């Protein structure tokens, strides 16, 4: 169950998106989106396919810089249109849907590669923390990543992100292709990261599952925010039907 969420009226958010409009060339996708994430909370971002969820995360991560209005701030600094590398260094990590591991490398080498550029001692400590979070892959650290099951590869993908010790971790469809028991495991990990003070964003089509572990939620409908509030409020059937299905 969600812990007591930070009070968004008194704490500065880790990630703050304000009045964001963006798209792909002449194709506008987002219109005036406001969205924020605080330390130690899970935020669910839900909506139908094509609503703009991945576009929003891509803008926050610097992968899409065709922003026509609005700003993206991270830890109080404007990162609108900044390059992805600069945004990662400032504490935001995005795990897109379908992100893949390096199959020919060992599990451990995948993590070392993810920590490239980090001081060796700090990287070693971060990898040790990742093993604690995912004991399932720690036991297979010398195996080639390509031999892991689909669920274990997804765990490795998230572990790669954790090596960089992000302030904000954004997960786009982490359940894709996973068995229900592994989906629950990934969401359990999201809860443990929240307890460590990480702000977690989850885009997920398994709406009931993600709302059950989230503190707050947003609904995007055709590129606009049509609901923002407590996840428990959205989880009530009538609110979810109105906000999510229209």
């Amino acid at each position: 169950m969600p812990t007591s969420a930070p009070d968004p009226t008194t704490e500065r958010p880790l990630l703050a998106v304000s009045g964001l409009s963006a798209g792909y060339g002449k194709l506008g996708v987002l219109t005036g989106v406001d969205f924020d994430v605080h330390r130690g909370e899970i935020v669910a971002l839900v909506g139908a396919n094509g609503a703009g969820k991945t576009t929003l995360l891509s803008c926050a991560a610097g992968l899409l810089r065709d922003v026509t209005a609005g700003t993206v701030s991270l830890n109080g600094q404007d990162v609108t249109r900044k390059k992805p590398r600069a945004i990662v260094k400032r504490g935001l990590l995005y795990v897109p849907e379908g992100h893949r591991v390096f199959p020919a490398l060992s599990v451990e080498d995948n993590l070392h590669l993810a920590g490239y550029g980090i001081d060796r001692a700090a990287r070693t400590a971060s990898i040790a923390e990742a093993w604690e979070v995912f004991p399932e892959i720690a036991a297979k650290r010398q195996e080639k990543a390509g031999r892991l099951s689909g669920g274990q590869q997804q765990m490795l993908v998230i572990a790669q992100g954790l090596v960089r010790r992000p302030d904000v971790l954004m997960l786009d469809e982490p359940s894709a292709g996973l068995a229900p028991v592994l989906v629950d495991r990934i969401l359990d990990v999201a809860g443990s990261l929240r307890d460590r003070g990480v702000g977690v964003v989850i885009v997920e089509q398994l709406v009931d599952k993600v709302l059950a572990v989230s503190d707050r939620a947003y609904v995007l409908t055709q590129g606009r925010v049509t609901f923002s509030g407590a996840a428990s409020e959205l989880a009530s059937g009538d609110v979810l039907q109105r906000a999510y299905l229209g």
Side-chain angles (χ1 to χ4, degrees):
M1 294 295 292
T3 57
S4 297
D7 182 352
T9 65
T10 60
E11 295 186 17
R12 186 181 73 185
L14 293 173
L15 173 66
V17 174
S18 179
L20 188 71
S21 296
Y24 304 89
K26 294 182 179 180
L27 177 63
V29 177
L30 302 176
T31 304
V33 171
D34 293 326
F35 177 86
D36 59 55
V37 183
H38 290 75
R39 187 175 302 280
E41 71 168 353
I42 298 177
V43 176
L45 179 60
V46 300
N49 290 335
K53 305 183 298 297
T54 295
T55 299
L56 174 56
L57 298 193
S58 296
C59 286
L63 297 173
L64 175 61
R65 287 181 276 168
D66 193 358
V67 176
T68 57
T71 59
V72 178
S73 297
L74 184 60
N75 284 314
Q77 296 183 319
D78 188 347
V79 295
T80 314
R81 302 184 187 88
K82 296 291 185 183
K83 294 182 178 180
R85 183 184 297 270
I87 292 176
V88 168
K89 287 183 177 180
R90 292 182 181 179
L92 183 145
L93 216 297
Y94 174 37
V95 179
E97 180 184 4
H99 184 65
R100 295 292 181 259
V101 300
F102 297 96
L105 298 180
S106 71
V107 170
E108 187 166 17
D109 285 345
N110 266 265
L111 295 187
H112 278 287
L113 188 59
Y116 178 78
I118 301 176
D119 173 81
R120 174 175 286 274
R123 183 170 72 244
T124 299
S126 293
I127 291 174
E129 292 177 2
W131 295 143
E132 292 180 4
V133 174
F134 290 112
E136 297 93 335
I137 61 172
K140 299 177 178 291
R141 66 185 70 191
Q142 298 307 322
E143 290 191 23
K144 289 187 176 181
R147 295 179 180 173
L148 298 180
S149 69
Q152 290 167 342
Q153 288 192 26
Q154 183 68 308
M155 292 178 189
L156 178 54
V157 166
I158 297 174
Q160 288 174 321
L162 299 185
V163 169
R164 304 203 67 91
R165 293 184 176 176
D167 294 321
V168 179
L169 178 65
M170 304 190 305
L171 303 175
D172 195 349
E173 298 287 357
S175 75
L178 299 186
V181 65
L182 292 177
V183 175
D184 292 339
R185 179 74 180 94
I186 297 296
L187 294 178
D188 285 345
V189 168
S192 70
L193 295 176
R194 170 182 54 199
D195 294 343
R196 297 184 183 196
V198 178
V200 182
V201 181
I202 305 178
V203 170
E204 181 54 69
Q205 290 298 327
L206 298 175
V207 179
D208 291 342
K209 281 184 175 293
V210 73
L211 291 179
V213 301
S214 298
D215 302 290
R216 294 190 299 116
Y218 290 82
V219 174
L220 277 181
T221 305
Q222 296 182 343
R224 298 177 183 271
V225 174
T226 53
F227 174 89
S228 171
S232 58
E233 181 182 355
L234 181 59
S236 65
D238 56 339
V239 175
L240 180 59
Q241 186 173 7
R242 291 198 306 270
Y244 189 60
L245 300 177

